[in-house]
Amino acid sequence: MKATKITIALLILSASAYSQKSAPKKIKPKAEFVAELMAKMTVDEKIYQTVQFTSDGTVTGPKTGDNYITRIKQGKVGSILNATGAKATREVQRINLESSRLKIPLLFGHDVIHGFKTIFPINLGMASSFDPKSVELAARDAAEEASSSGVHWTFAPMVDIARDPRWSRVSEGSGEDPYLGMQYGIASVHGFQGTDLSKYNTILACTKHFAAYGAAEAGRDYNTVDMSERVLRDMYLPPFKATVDAGVKTFMASFNEISGVPSTASKFLMRDILKGEWKFDGMVVSDYTGINEMIAHGFAKDEQDAGQLALNAGLDMDMVGAIYMNTLKKSYDEGKVSIAVINDACKRILDVKYDLGLFEDPYRYSDEKREKETLNKPQFLNDALDVANKSLVLLKNKNNILPLKKDQKIAFVGPLVIDEFHIIGSWAAIGDRNGFAVSVKEGVANVLGASAKTTFDQGVEIESTKRDLMAAAIANAKNADVIVAVMGERENMTGEAASRTNIDLPGLQKEFLGELKKLGKPIVLVLLNGRPLTIGWENENMDAILEAWWPGTRGGDAIAQTLFGMNNPSAKLPITFPRNVGQIPIYYNHKNTGRPYLGPTDPEQKYKSKYIDVDNSPLFPFGYGLSYTTFAYSNLKISAPQVKFNEKLKVTVDVANTGNYDGTEVVQLYVRDLVGSVTRPVRELKGFERVALKKGEKKSVTFEISSDDLKFYNIDMINTAEAGDFEVFVGGSSDADLKQSFELVK
Ligand code: GLC
């Protein structure tokens, strides 16, 4: 008994010692503390808080390049980008505090996009789970790791609505839908920031890229955006607003212009909407040299012009551009920027430093002991597997070829079958690309053990025209019962500055599939990619297709567990798969037009909004995804035929598991506003729920719709719902055909 008491006492002592080590000294409340600090600061010192430099660091920690250290020693830096590592950040912070007259700590930022050391599926993959809890869990684990490694601030979530898979950054977001994007953004902010930013395991989130970056013309990264304010507000801004309501503390401006004004200096976006209408009290950082780029945009005549335009428009911090450092004091002296806007920017930056507890303990995030205990924690690795299993989308499964049987002879082929490098995708922070991630081959071995009757051959490379490996792969495939082809893109064919005009499987991969097809054996295609691909031929010729995106550190385990039925795929597409590039932009929440084409049964086949060479329908629609089991929807009911503006409409539906496997279905609710003062989309996602059903089980699912859910920017640009007729659709994709109608009445 006594020993136990001593043990408990020791545990309490060590825990309190641990917390005391990071226990902050008490300082005054934020408003008072920041006001007193600013009262002591010179104009120069206030301007230097708005300056961010990169550590020239790689993601494994900063190389100590001299320029940013020199500037820190001159007291000219408020934040550092890309410095990671408890030891490295502690050293940089020490240098800063020794140079800082007023001991103002540096803010360390890094792109922790889908994991820090333990890498989760890319965001488009996590969005496929339609599971905000998984998104929040991934962000929470990432914050635990990053905050133990000196990182105070992540440049995530990226909530750019994306309707064009040529655009390489579709991989970083949650696809084409505003409602899904809202849920994704909220979950991410909650995961990263938690409920108390002063805790040492919570970090600042940063909603980006503000705004409409994903609408770049022709899907070419950084390209021009031109859209009506109505489309901007109805389709692109809701996820941004949702994160403000969720308490996000920072935003990042986007590189693009919108209708002639670069976001980096858009008063409309940053002062009128973000800080005005939405009452955002956090801080806005530019994207990387975004201020400098206004000269190329033709919006600023020189760096000083660019700097004063940006600051006056509400941009608080200059990422890496050195323009605020070099020109703001001159602009201030010349009366081009006021002390009020300088004070506003500086205060917003000091406020978030205060929120993080950095004034109380500037080193609290740079704790080597905690870092060692936290990175790649088994729990995080298990979470990464669980989230990956929920992110795989089954696109085709002819004759239920999947799941595979463990005693089958299986030929695994393809350029990504043994890959441990690409599998964690782009923007993978300090994720290990040298063997730590689980390849498909390793995942299969973990399921089958070494005795399996399996072969593994690359056959072709991702992009090269080399054919020398093909013959050996085909020879092995000849002896197999089933072929599994693991194919896709290089990880850096998506992410920043990697747009493609041709989104087929690259290289000779399709040719190799054609050779394999000649063997007359069933072929399962597993895709590892960061965007929808044009896979029409593959859909015709493969027996099964599993869209795995970039599934992360445990990706090979998730793929293998899914192929062999230990995991029943449940994910749905967060973005439309086009039949070909010519259909782009193609998305489910489109307008009807005056001549809607009703498909092959349309009595009018000529004068309709259609193509003469390809059907209007996508290859796979938004919200689509199969399971190893089947689900049947029935009994769609609404609580009343009419609903008032201050009432809620209940929508209920029965969902039954009618197949042979336990599974989970993402039940989706869509609404159509039939007539408006402006035209309305043919469908809009307004609810979804993951419903687990054992085989044979049936459940009733209920959604609620209020008039708030039906709001849009009307002909007078007022955000309101309008009385009139509506339809609701419920089902397992945006093609859901179970329908009811109701009327919204004053
Ligand atoms: C990049 C990206 C942005 C990222 C930032 C910092 O250019 O556009 O998403 O957060 O720079 O790395």
Side-chain angles (χ1 to χ4, degrees), residues 338-643:
S338 68
I339 191 59
V341 289
I342 292 171
N343 283 341
D344 180 54
C346 178
K347 179 183 179 304
R348 289 169 183 267
I349 293 163
L350 295 177
D351 280 351
V352 296
K353 292 185 175 184
Y354 182 99
D355 291 337
L356 286 166
L358 292 176
F359 286 108
E360 294 159 325
D361 176 3
Y363 298 108
R364 62 203 312 257
Y365 288 81
S366 303
D367 181 334
E368 286 180 79
K369 179 175 180 298
R370 190 161 83 84
E371 180 181 51
K372 197 166 178 327
E373 293 163 356
T374 306
L375 298 185
N376 280 155
K377 239 180 185 174
Q379 181 53 51
F380 300 161
L381 291 165
N382 291 338
D383 292 342
L385 172 58
D386 179 52
V387 174
N389 271 327
K390 288 176 180 161
S391 69
L392 307 183
V393 190
L394 183 60
L395 296 177
K396 181 179 181 182
N397 191 17
K398 186 176 152 195
N399 304 326
N400 293 320
I401 177 76
L402 291 177
L404 301 173
K405 293 159 188 65
K406 293 186 177 182
D407 61 357
Q408 283 177 292
K409 288 178 71 176
I410 305 167
F412 287 88
V413 299
L416 291 162
V417 72
I418 59 172
D419 168 72
E420 299 165 338
F421 178 92
H422 300 283
I423 198 163
I424 60 174
S426 58
W427 290 110
I430 66 165
D432 183 304
R433 292 186 188 274
N434 301 307
F436 186 79
V438 180
S439 68
V440 171
K441 181 177 183 183
E442 283 172 285
V444 170
N446 292 340
V447 170
L448 298 182
S451 60
K453 295 177 278 186
T454 54
T455 56
F456 296 86
D457 298 273
Q458 283 190 261
V460 291
E461 294 179 342
I462 295 172
E463 258 188 309
S464 80
T465 55
K466 283 165 64 179
R467 290 181 172 79
D468 56 327
L469 299 174
M470 224 186 263
I474 289 169
N476 276 333
K478 271 188 185 133
N479 304 322
D481 303 323
V482 60
I483 300 164
V484 176
V486 183
M487 299 186 160
E489 299 177 299
R490 273 189 284 101
E491 59 83 19
N492 60 1
M493 292 174 90
T494 48
E496 189 168 354
S499 295
R500 294 174 69 195
T501 59
N502 172 340
I503 53 174
D504 290 348
L505 269 177
L508 298 177
Q509 296 180 76
K510 190 168 11 176
E511 178 186 308
F512 180 32
L513 286 174
E515 292 306 313
L516 293 165
K517 178 78 181 166
K518 291 174 185 170
L519 301 177
K521 296 173 184 291
I523 304 175
V524 175
L525 175 60
V526 177
L527 290 173
L528 292 174
N529 50 300
R531 58 157 55 85
L533 299 173
T534 36
I535 51 171
W537 179 89
E538 292 82 349
N539 187 45
E540 285 300 313
N541 291 283
M542 300 294 101
D543 297 271
I545 301 175
L546 180 67
E547 174 55 78
W549 307 114
W550 293 114
T553 303
R554 297 293 303 275
D557 282 327
I559 290 167
Q561 291 183 10
T562 302
L563 290 174
F564 289 99
M566 296 157 71
N567 170 57
N568 182 358
S570 58
K572 302 285 186 176
L573 292 178
I575 189 169
T576 301
F577 271 57
R579 294 181 184 281
N580 62 31
V581 169
Q583 284 188 316
I584 295 169
I586 179 170
Y587 46 92
Y588 87 93
N589 46 2
H590 59 79
K591 298 300 188 66
N592 204 31
T593 78
R595 294 192 172 187
Y597 177 53
L598 309 180
T601 59
D602 192 329
E604 173 51 65
Q605 284 294 317
K606 171 73 175 164
Y607 298 103
K608 286 296 182 90
S609 182
K610 62 190 279 277
Y611 304 98
I612 59 172
D613 58 347
V614 171
D615 191 80
N616 283 2
S617 63
L619 185 65
F620 300 112
F622 174 87
Y624 171 85
L626 301 175
S627 168
Y628 292 151
T629 190
T630 49
F631 299 102
Y633 287 77
S634 62
N635 211 9
L636 177 63
K637 286 187 184 138
I638 53 176
S639 50
Q642 291 187 332
V643 61

Side-chain angles (χ1 to χ4, degrees), residues 52 81-82 109-113 154-156 158 160 169 172 206 208-209 213 221-222 252-255 285-289 293 319-320 427 496:
Q52 181 186 70
L81 163 69
N82 287 338
H110 190 57
D111 292 281
V112 185
I113 308 299
T154 177
F155 304 117
M158 185 269 219
D160 300 306
R169 304 194 75 169
E172 300 172 48
C206 178
K208 71 183 186 183
H209 304 81
Y213 181 28
D221 202 7
Y222 315 124
M252 182 185 291
S254 61
F255 286 121
V285 64
S286 75
D287 204 337
Y288 203 102
T289 65
E293 294 165 20
M319 180 185 279
V320 182
W427 290 110
E496 189 168 354

Side-chain angles (χ1 to χ4, degrees), residues 262 264-266 270 286 289-315 318 321 323-324 327-328 331 336-337:
T264 303
S266 170
M270 292 185 284
S286 75
T289 65
I291 300 173
N292 313 57
E293 294 165 20
M294 287 202 289
I295 298 167
H297 272 293
F299 196 74
K301 63 178 185 302
D302 57 29
E303 290 198 347
Q304 184 184 356
D305 192 28
Q308 64 87 10
L309 283 167
L311 187 75
N312 285 323
L315 191 92
D318 173 1
I323 285 185
Y324 279 10
T327 70
L328 280 190
S331 293
K336 290 176 180 156
V337 296

Side-chain angles (χ1 to χ4, degrees), residues 205-258:
C206 178
T207 305
K208 71 183 186 183
H209 304 81
F210 194 53
Y213 181 28
E217 282 180 1
R220 197 177 80 224
D221 202 7
Y222 315 124
N223 202 5
T224 304
V225 171
D226 203 331
M227 68 173 62
S228 68
E229 182 182 338
R230 176 170 294 107
V231 167
L232 177 68
R233 285 181 177 275
D234 275 343
M235 286 294 172
Y236 288 82
L237 293 190
F240 289 94
K241 169 73 164 53
T243 64
V244 173
D245 295 342
V248 74
K249 280 295 179 189
T250 73
F251 256 54
M252 182 185 291
S254 61
F255 286 121
N256 57 286
E257 68 164 69
I258 301 178

